[in-house]
Amino acid sequence: MAKKEFQSESKRLLDLMINSIYTNKDIFLRELISNSSDALDKLAYRSLTDKKLKVKKDQLQIEISYDKEKRLLTISDNGCGMTKEELESNLGTIAKSGSLAFKENMSQDEKNSIIGQFGVGFYSAFMVSDKITVTSLSVDSEDAYLWESEGVDGYTIQKGKKDKVGTEIVLQIKEDTDEVSYSKYLDEYELKNLVKKYSDYIRYPIRMEVTHHELVDEEKHEYKDTKEVETLNSMVPIWKKASKDVKDEDYDNFYMDKFSDYDKPLKVISSSVEGMTSYQSLLFIPSHAPHDYYTQEYEKGLALYSNGVLIMEKCADLLPDYFSFVKGVVDSEDLSLNISRELLQESQGVKLIAKNIEAKIRKELETMLKENREEYISFFKTFGVQLKYGVYNRYGQDKDKLKDLVMFYSAKHDRLITLAEYVSEMKEDQENIYYASGASVEKIGALPQVEQVRDKDYDILYLTDYVDEFCITAIQKYEEKPFRNVSDEDLDLESDEEKKATEKANKDHSDLLKEMSSILGDVKEVRFSNKLKSHPVCLTTKGDVSIEMQKVFDAMPNDMGIKAEMILEINEKHPIREKLQDLYENNHDEFLKYTKILYSEARMIAGLPIDNPTEISQLICDVISR
Ligand code: ADP
């Protein structure tokens, strides 16, 4: 029979599996059992809507058997099974293959990380077997089919023999080597332990024939072996257990298995709620963002169960967008199974659960921030952008729920702080919460405008995320204290005397300043100011749109033409002022060059592009080569 080739990415993964020295080979069993459990879920769900299907729920199960002599390990289930096409598409390719980051000459660590991250699943069985045979009869098919493969060479599919709907997977276990004893996968005691360790929570019985040593004669120390089929797992879903009865390790393993993560979760949140709509929930905050988290592909949602039947793998309505990183399971007996999935999402029950879950997650995060700051900061560095996004999204509707969870970098403390912390440390004469934005803490620290505020010993929040300023604009005020960008044209930090002096300078030189402004065109105004200490120039803005916001708008695909109103400020104490005065009176050509150079300097400091770099560079050369 003709062999079919594996899809190329799958082939590489297979190759990786077969030649893997991945130490945790045990996981293959968990993967196969978990696939079986999914297949049982699917059948149970189908039987709810398809009355013709006669499924006895209490007979759904997974069976394990082994043959030491022939080195065969069999895992079978009476789940939904696979049609010929499904065998082909499910086992000939890997669903997630698109996201596999293959490279040439990968180190063993990199290979292991791929196996850990994605490679689990059916293919992991090749870590322990020379040959795999899958016989399956689908609920949707008359005939059973047999899929067979010895690895990278390819696979065959032909008609098979199976009377009952379901899937049987037979592994030809590898011979032992000096390093690895594959025989453990043919050992009753080992298999029992593996099931207990990784698959205890599976809600269907995992059954295997086990041997009981029975003492028949105490005096003669005579034993008799009896064999009996036993259920190896406790079958109580982990979320139904009281958290005091569950080891941290078990929660971690459940999470890593169910949500295909190679790292433990940062936080486990378990709760059981009694009321109008009773439910149990087990939620996890991942310790790192899933690889596709900040892409369109990422789907938020919690697995929704009702009466032990999985209704939806990812019920999006259970989570607000700003907590979309949370993974987990919700199980409620009070949701009616007789309505469609679409209607279920509209149900009051789901809405109520969603509301409770939102509040629960928020409370947990607040507690974490209060009691374990280090952990919170680790969380915030990973998912903080999502919270900040949540503050201004939906027209700021959720800002009050989130404003105490967001943190910003404090110039004074050189670390992240909350808004409450900022306000509690404000100076007596300080009226505003000051912030400055830019590409990095270092760049913001070097902004000329920062100096004046820091000189007053006021703290400044340094905003480095593109969402930050939008977030702050949405919050507007915190404890009645308005936010103030240090690049605002009028910070009002000078003494009356200083103000008067500046006003006078501006008035006395209004012709010169107007001339500069008309040379430049795209600034609203040019003026002298005393907010600068050492720098000659800076850009400030008038109105709601700051320079950083303009950068975000400029980067959007549909440019809406939203521009900041910019003011070029010139340090009145800087020698450049005299120079400008002199040129204005005696050499208009030079005056024009200086004006352009100074404006370009200010744009550079603000991190804005220079529209005509060649011209400016020539102007600078002209001036310095003199
Ligand atoms: P994953 O389970 O992550 O989707 P796998 O490689 O483990 O990836 O399995 C691929 C697919 O093969 C599954 O999604 C499922 O559709 C199908 N499958 C695997 N095992 C079984 C089984 N025992 N019964 C029915 N379908 C199965």
Side-chain angles (χ1 to χ4, degrees):
M1 191 184 354
K3 259 196 189 143
K4 299 199 178 185
E5 291 224 355
F6 285 104
Q7 177 243 17
S8 63
E9 289 264 280
S10 312
K11 209 162 158 176
R12 303 187 67 171
L13 183 62
L14 250 175
D15 192 38
L16 217 142
M17 285 291 174
I18 292 165
N19 302 309
S20 155
I21 55 160
Y22 189 57
T23 40
N24 197 5
K25 297 184 193 298
D26 295 352
I27 53 157
F28 85 91
L29 188 63
R30 164 189 91 184
E31 294 301 323
L32 296 185
I33 289 177
S34 154
N35 280 349
S36 286
S37 169
D38 290 348
L40 292 163
D41 274 344
K42 278 183 206 157
L43 189 66
Y45 184 76
R46 272 279 292 272
S47 73
L48 290 174
T49 45
D50 187 346
K51 293 292 168 222
K52 285 193 289 297
L53 270 182
K54 298 227 165 1
V55 174
K56 294 209 177 85
K57 252 190 90 183
D58 57 353
Q59 285 178 8
L60 296 176
Q61 62 168 358
I62 300 162
E63 276 180 309
I64 299 178
S65 61
Y66 56 92
D67 183 331
K68 269 193 175 145
E69 241 86 289
K70 295 189 182 142
R71 298 187 74 77
L72 298 177
L73 174 65
T74 305
I75 292 106
S76 57
D77 62 70
N78 49 1
C80 62
M82 284 177 272
T83 61
K84 186 180 179 209
E85 291 71 33
E86 282 168 341
L87 278 170
E88 175 102 30
S89 62
N90 293 341
L91 306 186
T93 56
I94 307 167
K96 307 166 211 119
S97 61
S99 53
L100 289 178
F102 278 116
K103 288 192 303 194
E104 293 304 320
N105 307 323
M106 281 190 290
S107 70
Q108 194 57 46
D109 275 355
E110 287 170 315
K111 288 180 185 170
N112 285 349
S113 144
I114 288 204
I115 298 177
Q117 282 179 62
F118 311 101
V120 288
F122 174 76
Y123 282 58
S124 61
F126 277 106
M127 289 197 289
V128 302
S129 357
D130 287 326
K131 177 175 161 186
I132 301 179
T133 315
V134 181
T135 315
S136 199
L137 175 61
S138 161
V139 267
D140 298 314
S141 165
E142 299 274 298
D143 302 310
Y145 284 90
L146 183 135
W147 179 101
E148 207 166 28
S149 170
E150 289 179 23
V152 245
D153 282 351
Y155 59 91
T156 56
I157 295 184
Q158 55 188 299
K159 275 226 171 114
K161 275 206 188 83
K162 199 168 186 318
D163 305 331
K164 289 198 184 118
V165 168
T167 303
E168 181 184 88
I169 299 179
V170 183
L171 310 180
Q172 176 73 55
I173 298 292
K174 286 186 184 180
E175 292 296 335
D176 291 345
T177 64
D178 289 346
E179 290 89 34
V180 194
S181 157
Y182 294 98
S183 296
K184 74 188 251 201
Y185 304 120
L186 300 163
D187 180 84
E188 175 185 317
Y189 180 76
E190 294 277 359
L191 287 167
K192 259 167 84 171
N193 276 344
L194 285 181
V195 170
K196 204 75 196 148
K197 181 166 174 197
Y198 292 113
S199 311
D200 189 59
Y201 65 89
I202 293 283
R203 288 166 304 108
Y204 302 98
I206 303 167
R207 295 170 65 77
M208 187 172 84
E209 190 177 73
V210 293
T211 321
H212 291 283
H213 275 320
E214 248 177 284
L215 193 58
V216 278
D217 192 324
E218 207 158 336
E219 271 164 27
K220 289 189 203 149
H221 279 281
E222 238 178 52
Y223 284 87
K224 195 181 102 200
D225 280 355
T226 52
K227 291 192 182 286
E228 201 181 355
V229 176
E230 254 184 28
T231 298
L232 306 182
N233 53 330
S234 74
M235 291 203 296
V236 180
I238 192 162
W239 57 86
K240 292 234 179 196
K241 292 184 188 170
S243 47
K244 66 173 174 29
D245 299 333
V246 184
K247 283 189 283 201
D248 289 350
E249 194 195 342
D250 294 337
Y251 278 137
D252 294 347
N253 281 332
F254 171 77
Y255 164 79
M256 292 192 282
D257 178 23
K258 175 111 185 155
F259 302 105
S260 312
D261 196 346
Y262 53 92
D263 258 347
K264 286 189 229 168
L266 181 72
K267 188 99 203 147
V268 181
I269 309 168
S270 109
S271 54
S272 176
V273 175
E274 300 288 329
M276 274 265 290
T277 306
S278 302
Y279 68 91
Q280 291 85 38
S281 66
L282 182 57
L283 311 176
F284 301 93
I285 298 175
S287 54
H288 61 122
H291 68 279
D292 59 352
Y293 186 59
Y294 290 106
T295 73
Q296 298 247 309
E297 263 132 68
Y298 183 80
E299 275 179 73
K300 66 164 183 173
L302 300 175
L304 181 61
Y305 288 83
S306 168
N307 275 326
V309 179
L310 178 70
I311 318 234
M312 274 179 111
E313 195 70 60
K314 276 187 181 162
C315 181
D317 300 76
L318 286 172
L319 284 177
D321 277 342
Y322 49 85
F323 290 153
S324 62
F325 48 82
V326 174
K327 307 264 186 194
V329 172
V330 173
D331 195 345
S332 169
E333 277 137 43
D334 297 332
L335 296 175
S336 162
L337 280 177
N338 298 325
I339 52 176
S340 72
R341 289 181 198 209
E342 289 70 33
L343 280 176
L344 191 74
Q345 292 172 56
E346 289 299 307
S347 88
Q348 286 310 312
V350 170
K351 291 211 170 106
L352 197 72
I353 297 175
K355 200 167 150 238
N356 287 344
I357 281 182
E358 189 276 339
K360 177 82 185 169
I361 299 170
R362 199 149 38 86
K363 217 174 120 237
E364 285 288 329
L365 290 174
E366 280 163 10
T367 312
M368 197 200 289
L369 173 58
K370 227 182 276 155
E371 292 171 4
N372 192 345
R373 195 175 178 101
E374 216 174 293
E375 189 174 52
Y376 189 81
I377 287 187
S378 153
F379 156 77
F380 193 77
K381 287 192 170 148
T382 317
F383 297 114
V385 169
Q386 193 64 17
L387 299 187
K388 291 187 274 192
Y389 171 72
V391 168
Y392 76 82
N393 200 21
R394 305 211 308 149
Y395 308 100
Q397 276 182 51
D398 304 311
K399 66 178 179 196
D400 287 334
K401 292 183 189 159
L402 299 173
K403 64 176 189 229
D404 285 314
L405 288 176
V406 292
M407 298 181 100
F408 300 97
Y409 177 88
S410 144
K412 189 183 233 163
H413 296 283
D414 189 23
R415 59 176 168 81
L416 293 171
I417 61 166
T418 62
L419 295 175
E421 285 160 353
Y422 182 100
V423 169
S424 74
E425 286 190 355
M426 277 169 69
K427 300 275 164 233
E428 233 162 72
D429 62 342
Q430 185 182 349
E431 283 163 16
N432 302 304
I433 302 174
Y434 291 100
Y435 68 90
S437 34
S440 67
V441 164
E442 291 71 32
K443 283 191 178 159
I444 301 173
L447 283 176
Q449 296 94 321
V450 160
E451 249 175 332
Q452 187 196 19
V453 183
R454 294 291 290 130
D455 266 5
K456 293 222 143 207
D457 204 23
Y458 297 165
D459 194 4
I460 305 179
L461 300 174
Y462 284 5
L463 312 186
T464 51
D465 263 328
Y466 74 99
V467 292
D468 286 348
E469 237 182 306
F470 293 91
C471 171
I472 272 188
T473 313
I475 299 178
Q476 289 170 341
K477 280 181 185 176
Y478 188 88
E479 287 177 12
E480 295 307 309
K481 306 289 182 196
F483 290 96
R484 205 69 200 269
N485 190 336
V486 299
S487 297
D488 268 357
E489 48 146 359
D490 181 18
L491 281 188
D492 205 15
L493 290 176
E494 300 93 350
S495 67
D496 284 348
E497 253 164 61
E498 285 171 323
K499 267 188 226 165
K500 271 204 191 112
T502 315
E503 239 169 66
K504 186 166 179 319
N506 276 310
K507 218 176 182 173
D508 292 350
H509 300 95
S510 67
D511 290 350
L512 175 151
L513 296 167
K514 272 204 194 101
E515 177 61 17
M516 286 181 86
S517 152
S518 76
I519 291 171
L520 297 173
D522 55 352
V523 293
K524 186 91 186 153
E525 194 186 331
V526 181
R527 68 161 76 132
F528 289 124
S529 88
N530 61 19
K531 71 167 59 133
L532 295 165
K533 292 187 68 188
S534 46
H535 284 275
V537 283
C538 75
L539 281 178
T540 57
T541 53
K542 241 189 174 115
D544 294 335
V545 184
S546 73
I547 289 174
E548 288 309 307
M549 284 165 124
Q550 182 184 320
K551 286 184 203 163
V552 176
F553 290 131
D554 283 347
M556 285 181 179
N558 50 340
D559 186 4
M560 292 171 288
I562 299 177
K563 297 287 171 213
E565 288 192 2
M566 290 188 290
I567 294 164
L568 174 63
E569 301 203 9
I570 300 170
N571 187 347
E572 60 174 348
K573 296 179 288 269
H574 197 280
I576 194 69
R577 175 179 152 188
E578 310 250 307
K579 181 82 188 172
L580 281 169
Q581 184 66 38
D582 177 36
L583 295 175
Y584 179 63
E585 281 159 15
N586 304 310
N587 188 342
H588 192 265
D589 250 15
E590 285 290 283
F591 180 71
L592 187 131
K593 284 181 194 169
Y594 273 63
T595 302
K596 287 186 172 179
I597 293 173
L598 285 172
Y599 176 53
S600 300
E601 280 180 22
R603 283 186 72 94
M604 234 156 53
I605 294 170
L608 285 170
I610 291 165
D611 297 335
N612 45 350
T614 323
E615 184 196 345
I616 299 301
S617 121
Q618 238 153 27
L619 291 180
I620 294 173
C621 268
D622 277 359
V623 173
I624 59 177
S625 55
R626 231 178 281 128

